[in-house]
Amino acid sequence: MNILLAMIPAFLWGTTYAVTKYATPDWPPILLGAIRALPAGILLWFIKPSWPKREQWRGLIVLASVNITLFFSFIFVLAVNLPAAIAGVGMVSVPVVALLYAWLIKGQRPALIQSLCALVLVLLAWRLFDPQHVELNLLGIFALFGALLTIVLGSTLVQKITVHIHWWTVLTWQLLIGGVLLAAAAAVQGYVIAPDAYHALSRTFTASQWVVLFWLVVPNTAIAYTLYVWLLGRMTVVEFTFGTIANPIAGIMCAVVLLGEQYQPWQYTLMTLMIFFSVLPQLLKLTQRWRSVKVT
């Protein structure tokens, strides 16, 4: 049951790329990040107010800077600059970055099956992201790698900080702090660096834009992040990772329905294989665990 619940936030997050390109393709990514984070943090704070202790602020600021400010910026740059389906499938490459981080930084050698799946993922991504068949740009690719790296770093920080701070406080204040930092950056960009980037906001908002903004703030962030943090206290990381298979599926579905993106059968095959090999190590671990439980 928990694995099915884990698919809910993963599916909601997978819609980000398509809905952004559908309704707000010319909005500045930094502003979109602020709109997504700050109202969601305020909403969660009003639901259950919490205040960090003085010694907790430093850790929360570092976490928010990585997990919200940088990550949300990368996500929206990625959403605007890459095809939505490609962006969603590209995010399943997180295991590759996680393995490299654990190996190079922590000195943890990956298991053989993890190494093989990571290698297959790299080869599949190399073929899928071939510029001869998919329209790409360097900024979008850079944002993809940045998002993958901040996911790994942010997850590591969350594991450390939630040992000392209640999970609701971490959830609420990372959104609040990250949202404030993004709003400040958007203000500097809008008034000083690139005012022209904000001309799109001078037009009257359409109904679809209001719907998408609500979607990004409430289901996509407030509900999804709450469910994500709540579930992590009730299931293993392996189980939750298996649930994230819904993320790229949502990305592909929304790209086809909202944007009319179409790909060749061999490209859909590559996407499916990338999704499969991204969860294969976790699936094998989960299968072994279920078998051991039955034996005992």
Side-chain angles (χ1 to χ4, degrees), residues 27-37 76 182-183 185-187 189 197-198 201:
W27 287 29
I30 294 177
L31 176 64
L32 286 169
I35 292 174
R36 182 184 177 189
F76 285 111
L182 284 166
Q189 183 188 28
Y198 288 75
L201 300 177

Side-chain angles (χ1 to χ4, degrees), residues 61-184:
I61 291 173
V62 173
L63 173 64
S65 300
V66 175
N67 219 26
I68 301 299
T69 305
L70 286 177
F71 178 63
F72 279 19
S73 298
F74 285 133
I75 281 294
F76 285 111
V77 171
L78 171 64
V80 171
N81 288 279
L82 288 182
I86 298 298
V89 175
M91 291 301 290
V92 305
S93 301
V94 169
V96 178
V97 179
L99 286 179
L100 290 174
Y101 176 81
W103 185 23
L104 298 177
I105 304 300
K106 296 184 177 182
Q108 300 174 354
R109 295 185 61 182
L112 178 60
I113 184 63
Q114 291 176 317
S115 301
L116 292 175
C117 288
L119 178 60
V120 172
L121 276 174
V122 171
L123 295 175
L124 292 172
W126 185 273
R127 185 72 180 96
L128 181 64
F129 283 70
D130 188 345
Q132 294 181 356
H133 301 286
V134 179
E135 185 179 349
L136 303 174
N137 63 55
L138 290 178
L139 182 59
I141 296 297
F142 171 79
L144 174 60
F145 282 110
L148 293 172
L149 182 59
T150 50
I151 286 177
V152 175
L153 294 176
S155 299
T156 303
L157 290 173
V158 168
Q159 288 179 338
K160 291 182 179 180
I161 200 170
T162 50
V163 174
H164 309 287
I165 307 176
H166 191 273
W167 68 270
W168 184 265
T169 302
V170 174
L171 168 67
T172 303
W173 282 95
Q174 71 167 349
L175 289 170
L176 287 171
I177 296 171
V180 168
L181 292 175
L182 284 166

